[in-house]
Amino acid sequence: MKTFDPWPVFFRREWSRNWPFLAGFAITGALIVKMTAGFTEEDLNNSKFVQQHKSWQKKHPEHKQH
């Protein structure tokens, strides 16, 4: 006798619930990659965010960058 396999039912139900989240996550990730892929070292060094991060690291040397 064949036993009931719940996985196809589970995945079908969860896909119908979660596809908007997954699509939004994929679109957001693609946009972030597209926007940041063209950065050069000069762009990064001129960034206010990078400068603030570097100054914070100098004040807290116990937090090493990996």
Side-chain angles (χ1 to χ4, degrees):
M1 178 174 187
K2 186 175 178 183
T3 60
F4 175 69
D5 186 14
W7 288 108
V9 176
F10 172 76
F11 284 124
R12 191 176 312 118
R13 183 178 63 223
E14 291 303 312
W15 173 254
S16 66
R17 289 181 187 170
N18 291 322
W19 75 263
F21 167 75
L22 295 172
F25 190 72
I27 291 169
T28 303
L31 288 173
I32 290 171
V33 168
K34 183 178 173 100
M35 289 173 30
T36 60
F39 284 168
T40 62
E41 282 294 321
E42 185 178 341
D43 293 336
L44 295 176
N45 288 334
N46 292 336
S47 167
K48 288 182 182 179
F49 176 79
V50 172
Q51 296 303 321
Q52 288 176 352
H53 185 69
K54 284 183 179 178
S55 67
W56 186 87
Q57 280 184 327
K58 288 178 184 175
K59 292 177 186 174
H60 304 283
E62 66 276 5
H63 295 282
K64 295 179 181 177
Q65 188 177 8
H66 298 286

